[in-house]
Amino acid sequence: MKKIVLFFIFLLINFGALGIGSLLMQNGPTTVWYMDLNKAPWTPPGWVFGTAWSIIMLCFSVYITRLYDTLVSNRIWVLFAVQFLLNISWNYIFFNQHLVALGLINLILLSVLVFYFLIAFYRTLKLKSLFIVPYAVWLCVATSLNLYILLYN
């Protein structure tokens, strides 16, 4: 029972992050500024982003629940909170403020943190660590998209 409640808490927080991020970016992906950017040829269609993030947050909720349930540590909450802040702040930095270089730095820090989760807690979670892999992979894609925009605009 405790795991289920914990899972729903993390799920609520993670999907809350998506909601806050959407609010912070306002109409970012549909603005003239973004539409006029030279974007990477591998930029997926808009609907992919929402689908990907929904899957990622579902998987990350499973991952973080298992991790916290196994280690029960304030360290997990601190790392989770930093991840949360980096995740939502990118939307504001990139789409709202148009700070592409700072957005890239933000994504790199978030990527380092997510890969830290994957590597540092692999021995604890073993195959359950696969639940964070979609997040890590997507951040690699997102970082490449942000880098392309920085280099070619």
Side-chain angles (χ1 to χ4, degrees):
M1 182 68 171
K2 178 185 164 195
K3 284 183 193 177
I4 292 171
V5 170
L6 194 57
F7 169 74
F8 280 108
I9 289 170
F10 281 120
L11 193 66
L12 181 65
I13 294 169
N14 285 329
F15 276 89
L18 294 180
I20 293 168
S22 291
L23 290 173
L24 291 175
M25 78 167 125
Q26 296 176 335
N27 295 324
T30 59
T31 61
V32 172
W33 173 79
Y34 182 74
M35 298 299 266
D36 287 346
L37 288 174
N38 185 15
K39 291 180 260 330
W42 60 91
T43 302
W47 65 267
V48 172
F49 291 90
T51 303
W53 277 110
S54 294
I55 293 167
I56 288 162
M57 287 299 125
L58 178 63
C59 290
F60 187 54
S61 296
V62 172
Y63 174 85
I64 202 73
T65 299
R66 300 299 265 179
L67 182 60
Y68 186 77
D69 188 54
T70 304
L71 292 179
V72 186
S73 164
N74 285 337
R75 177 175 164 217
I76 303 303
W77 280 109
V78 169
L79 293 170
F80 179 75
V82 171
Q83 172 277 150
F84 178 90
L85 293 172
L86 287 170
N87 190 323
I88 64 169
S89 63
W90 180 85
N91 295 286
Y92 180 76
I93 291 166
F94 184 87
F95 282 116
N96 192 302
Q97 298 300 303
H98 308 162
L99 300 171
V100 177
L102 187 57
L104 180 62
I105 292 166
N106 181 289
L107 279 176
I108 291 169
L109 292 172
L110 181 57
S111 298
V112 167
L113 182 55
V114 168
F115 276 96
Y116 174 79
F117 270 112
L118 178 61
I119 294 164
F121 302 114
Y122 179 79
R123 285 188 171 176
T124 302
L125 294 180
K126 306 214 182 337
L127 284 178
K128 293 173 191 121
S129 293
L130 290 175
F131 282 105
I132 202 169
V133 170
Y135 199 172
V137 170
W138 185 255
L139 286 173
C140 291
V141 172
T143 301
S144 74
L145 296 173
N146 196 140
L147 177 61
Y148 188 95
I149 288 172
L150 179 65
L151 294 176
Y152 294 99
N153 288 278

